[in-house]
Amino acid sequence: MAAGDHQRFGPEPESWQSPGGPPAPPAEPPAVGPPPPGAALRSVAVALLNLTGLGLGYALMRRWSRAALCWAATGALLLAALPAEADGVPAGVVVSFLVVLVLAAADGAWTARRSAVGGSWRPLVAAVLGVVLLGIPVGGVAAYGSEQDAAVEQMLLDRLEKGDRAVAAASGRPFANGRLEYRTALDVYRELGVEHAGSRAGKLVPSRLKAYYEAVSAPYRAKDHCEAVEPLTHLRTVPDSVDAKLLGTLAGWPDGPLAESLYACGVSKLGDGSDASAESDGGELGELLRTLPASAQAGKVGPAVIGKMDEQTEAVRGDEPCAATEVLRRIGATVAAMPDKAVSVLSARADDGVEDGVYACGVDEFKEKKFPEARKTLTGFADTYEKDGRRQHARDIAIAAEIAEDRPSAGKRLPPRKKPGGPRMEFVISNDAPNAVEILYTGPVSGTVELKGCGSCERYSPSSGPDLACRASGRTYPKVRLQLPAGDYHFLYKHGTGASADVDSYASGASVQPGYTYTSCTYVTTERDPFGGLDLPDPVGPASAG
């Protein structure tokens, strides 16, 4: 080859400006040598067209398989993105699509550097078109963002509706049964009002909170004060979890209704025994004094307590002294547990009423022939109130009641409160039983005495007892001498303890007349006879003239 000659590779390049139109591009880029003229502009044009996601750069170069890949990637993105949802397109899909676009742009630019663009398009026009068409994905992103915002707003409105449904479901039910629904609604309102305050749903939260408070406090508006205490207590805790600015005036509203409900409920339940814990914590009134001590209702507790005590003290003198006493006792225990000392000291006032009530209750039980109850009540009275002037009379009535359990005639009338005057007759009782005996008696006077067991004595058969008891020559029997006014008496001889007590104990009666001395012998038999194994002379007669 001569000097100055140049070897050519491939066809002679021609200008795209030739009058006869652009020549057909070569089927393949030249294998070697410099790029054809205009390659840089073609690369930019194809890259821009491929960045639109429509594969137009490949289409311009008639690389249809590669264009199809771009269309498939764009279609997959549209399937994943539409319709627009609040959560948007998954990040993995977006990243994958962007990778495809970048690769398509890079590959298209590289391919276009060595390939002529077919048809009548020119690189400059294609580049401008690529820039213009980039507005399609940009506009699509903006439109999608708007649709996503609308979807988010709708999602938040749906969530708000969920809270509203929860409130509606809980309304009309006891608060304890609807607590879960109320909690769900409050969580929804809190999230929307704090985290999405600028959304349409967030702006509706204040009105929903007002409806929430109205639904929860429905028992208060219905004047069901006891039922209103728990939901109103809940409303006082709402500001602990919800911003006070969001609540506005609702934040402090429950204090007044709660104080009113605690007072009304506490007064209505005072002493009724419906709240087992009231005697340990003061019930609703105690809660009022602890929670809202500065409220007007807290200042009314003391007078209300006094009024209730006076009411029951008066009832003690009525037809149901036992019931009134029990109410008064519960009132006293409840008041004693209250945190305000000015109120708790009032329990002493109830204690005085209870003392009168216990005595009146025991007397009433005796009159109604409830002898076991009367004995228990009045024995307790005598043991508890040692300085009470009625203590001895209570013991006498308790003795009569115990005798009347075996001998009902002993309970026909109350033992006299004052001992009768006049002469006293001696009534000697001897014990011919191996065991000790306690003797209860009631009549014009009442009392108890005890006789030791006769160590050398034995049990008698039912037939021999009346003839042999207390008649053994040379034997000394334990005995007691009672000085009794004239009148009719009832005796209860209590032999032994445990299983033998019911078998060996027995009751009897005797009439004491002036001018005589009386004797009686008590013994036990090996087998109880139909008459109780008693050796009181029948009738009890005078042992000697007075």
Side-chain angles (χ1 to χ4, degrees):
M1 183 181 295
D5 290 342
H6 298 279
Q7 184 179 4
R8 296 182 180 276
F9 295 88
E12 183 74 18
E14 300 181 16
S15 172
W16 285 12
Q17 305 297 327
S18 63
E28 295 293 337
V32 293
L41 188 57
R42 285 197 306 273
S43 294
V44 172
V46 171
L48 290 174
L49 289 172
N50 279 356
L51 282 176
T52 63
L54 302 176
L56 295 178
Y58 286 135
L60 190 62
M61 294 186 297
R62 292 185 175 87
R63 300 294 197 271
W64 300 113
S65 59
R66 300 183 187 183
L69 291 175
C70 292
W71 297 336
T74 301
L77 175 66
L78 293 177
L79 286 175
L82 298 177
E85 297 181 355
D87 295 334
V89 184
V93 174
V94 175
V95 172
S96 299
F97 181 73
L98 291 177
V99 170
V100 170
L101 286 185
V102 172
L103 291 176
D107 178 67
W110 172 260
T111 304
R113 284 179 63 85
R114 297 187 178 277
S115 299
V117 181
S120 59
W121 294 97
R122 291 168 175 76
L124 180 60
V125 175
V128 172
L129 181 61
V131 173
V132 172
L133 291 179
L134 280 176
I136 293 177
V138 173
V141 170
Y144 184 83
S146 177
E147 288 297 319
Q148 184 182 3
D149 290 342
V152 170
E153 288 287 357
Q154 186 58 50
M155 177 194 69
L156 296 178
L157 288 172
D158 291 344
R159 194 173 301 173
L160 181 69
E161 183 180 356
K162 175 185 176 183
D164 296 343
R165 289 197 303 269
V167 172
S171 298
R173 296 161 57 191
F175 178 77
N177 295 342
R179 186 190 300 275
L180 180 60
E181 287 81 359
Y182 281 130
R183 183 180 302 165
T184 298
L186 190 60
D187 289 342
V188 169
Y189 296 152
R190 181 193 305 114
E191 178 187 358
L192 295 177
V194 175
E195 299 180 14
H196 305 282
S199 66
R200 282 187 292 164
K203 293 176 181 179
L204 293 174
V205 167
S207 63
R208 294 304 199 274
L209 285 172
K210 183 178 180 181
Y212 177 88
Y213 270 62
E214 290 178 354
V216 175
S217 62
Y220 167 73
R221 295 196 306 277
K223 302 301 180 184
D224 189 352
H225 293 295
C226 290
E227 188 69 25
V229 168
E230 185 178 6
L232 289 173
T233 300
H234 160 73
L235 291 179
R236 287 191 79 239
T237 66
V238 171
D240 295 339
S241 57
V242 179
D243 191 349
K245 294 181 180 179
L246 192 62
L247 292 171
T249 57
L250 293 175
W253 176 80
D255 286 358
L258 179 59
E260 182 181 343
S261 296
L262 285 171
Y263 175 79
C265 179
V267 171
S268 68
K269 292 168 62 176
L270 193 60
D272 68 359
S274 60
D275 184 359
S277 65
E279 296 180 14
S280 60
D281 62 10
E284 285 78 11
L285 295 179
E287 183 65 20
L288 172 61
L289 294 174
R290 280 188 294 270
T291 306
L292 299 163
S295 63
Q297 287 78 9
K300 298 178 181 179
V301 172
V305 165
I306 292 175
K308 279 283 189 177
M309 288 180 179
D310 291 347
E311 178 184 311
Q312 294 305 312
T313 298
E314 183 65 27
V316 163
R317 305 184 184 97
D319 296 333
E320 298 292 338
C322 295
T325 301
E326 188 59 29
V327 172
L328 197 56
R329 180 181 283 110
R330 288 194 294 263
I331 291 176
T334 300
V335 172
M338 292 187 184
D340 188 339
K341 290 185 178 180
V343 177
S344 62
V345 296
L346 296 174
S347 61
R349 190 182 186 120
D351 294 341
D352 293 339
V354 168
E355 184 172 347
D356 292 338
V358 172
Y359 179 82
C361 174
V363 172
D364 186 70
E365 288 171 336
F366 187 91
K367 291 179 178 179
E368 293 185 357
K369 313 302 181 186
K370 299 177 180 178
F371 300 124
E373 293 86 347
R375 175 167 64 94
K376 180 179 179 181
T377 299
L378 292 171
T379 299
F381 175 88
D383 293 342
T384 303
Y385 305 108
E386 297 180 356
K387 296 182 180 180
D388 193 291
R390 298 164 293 188
R391 185 188 186 204
Q392 186 55 53
H393 191 225
R395 288 194 181 280
D396 291 347
I397 300 174
I399 291 171
E402 186 171 359
I403 298 172
E405 291 180 44
D406 287 332
R407 185 177 175 83
S409 57
K412 288 183 177 180
R413 62 183 64 85
L414 287 169
R417 188 160 188 178
K418 293 183 179 181
K419 295 180 180 180
R424 300 288 181 108
M425 275 57 70
E426 186 175 76
F427 198 108
V428 181
I429 304 175
S430 300
N431 183 22
D432 190 356
N435 55 281
V437 59
E438 181 184 7
I439 304 168
L440 284 66
Y441 60 92
T442 186
V445 294
S446 301
T448 63
V449 292
E450 291 187 10
L451 285 175
K452 294 180 180 180
C454 177
S456 59
C457 297
E458 299 178 355
R459 291 173 175 261
Y460 294 96
S461 67
S463 59
S464 63
D467 297 327
L468 300 179
C470 297
R471 289 182 170 85
S473 177
R475 179 177 293 173
T476 301
Y477 298 97
K479 64 181 59 179
V480 64
R481 300 177 183 274
L482 302 177
Q483 303 296 320
L484 303 178
D488 293 328
Y489 287 84
H490 305 274
F491 294 85
L492 175 64
Y493 297 82
K494 298 171 65 176
H495 283 273
T497 57
S500 65
D502 292 336
V503 176
D504 295 335
S505 299
Y506 54 89
S508 182
S511 179
V512 175
Q513 299 177 8
Y516 294 92
T517 297
Y518 294 83
T519 61
S520 175
C521 177
T522 178
Y523 61 95
V524 291
T525 61
T526 56
E527 181 180 344
R528 182 161 186 166
D529 63 21
F531 303 101
L534 170 67
D535 182 22
L536 281 175
D538 187 19
V540 176
S544 61

